[in-house]
Amino acid sequence: MDLVDFYPETTQQLKLPPSVPAGIAAEFREAESCLGHGNFRAAAGLFRSVLDKTLRASGYKLKKGTPLEQQIDAASADGIITESRRRRAHDEVRVLGNDVLHDEWRELQREDVEAAHHYSQRILEDFYDDRGSTLAVLRSKSKVPAEDELPPSGS
C-alpha cells in the first residue's frame, strides 16, 4: 500500500513586518492557510488581493479603476519596489491571481502558488519593513497613503 496524500498539509508562515496593517496581514495568513491545505486557486486569488490592498493602502489606486498593472509599475517607478520585484509582482502574483479570477478553471501547481507566497511577502517587506522611509517617498511622490487619509465624517 502506498501513501498517496497526507492532510493537513502545512506551509511555513513567513515573517511579516509588524507595521503591516492587520487586515492585510490577516488576508496574507488566510492565503497561507489555503496554500497549506492545497487550495491553490484560493491562495493565488488571496495573494493577488494582498498585493492590490498593499498598493491601495500606499496611495497607488489614484482613481477608481486604476489597473493593478499600472499600480505595480508606479510603485517601481517611485523606487518602492525594484525592477526585479516589479517583474515578479506581475508574473508570480498578479497574472496568476488574474488567471484564477478571470479565466476558465484550470488546476494550479503548488510551485506556482509558492512563488506568489514568497513574492507577496517580499513586497510586504518592501512597503512595511521601514514604513517611515516608505511614507516619506510616497508623500514626496504625491501619494496619499492610508495613514494620511482623513477618517470618515462623523467618526
Side-chain angles (χ1 to χ4, degrees):
M1 210 190 293
D2 293 329
L3 178 64
V4 176
D5 219 342
F6 179 79
Y7 289 95
E9 293 187 32
T10 60
T11 297
Q12 176 187 5
Q13 278 198 340
L14 299 179
K15 185 175 178 178
L16 297 179
S19 62
V20 174
I24 293 173
E27 191 145 322
F28 184 85
R29 295 297 181 215
E30 185 172 335
E32 284 181 324
S33 178
C34 289
L35 177 58
H37 286 91
N39 300 316
F40 303 139
R41 294 175 56 80
L46 284 169
F47 286 128
R48 183 203 180 278
S49 181
V50 165
L51 175 61
D52 180 62
K53 288 176 179 155
T54 299
L55 289 162
R56 190 177 327 143
S58 295
Y60 284 100
K61 190 139 194 149
L62 304 174
K63 60 183 181 194
K64 189 167 177 71
T66 302
L68 182 56
E69 180 177 19
Q70 289 177 12
Q71 295 174 55
I72 294 166
D73 291 345
S76 176
D78 289 346
I80 302 294
I81 61 174
T82 64
E83 174 61 21
S84 174
R85 192 90 75 226
R86 181 193 72 79
R87 283 194 311 274
R88 295 298 192 153
H90 283 303
D91 297 344
E92 308 295 348
V93 184
R94 182 185 64 82
V95 170
L96 185 65
N98 283 351
D99 288 352
V100 167
L101 297 172
H102 304 296
D103 291 350
E104 294 296 318
W105 191 95
R106 72 174 174 90
E107 187 173 345
L108 295 182
Q109 301 302 310
R110 174 176 284 279
E111 298 78 34
D112 295 330
V113 184
E114 285 176 343
H117 180 213
H118 174 80
Y119 286 105
S120 295
Q121 185 260 355
R122 294 292 188 260
I123 290 165
L124 288 172
E125 286 181 340
D126 291 341
F127 277 91
Y128 291 102
D129 192 44
D130 181 4
R131 189 62 175 170
S133 295
T134 301
L135 288 171
V137 171
L138 293 171
R139 291 169 181 144
S140 76
K141 302 293 183 177
S142 300
K143 302 296 185 276
V144 181
E147 291 88 338
D148 293 354
E149 291 180 358
L150 295 174
S153 60
S155 297

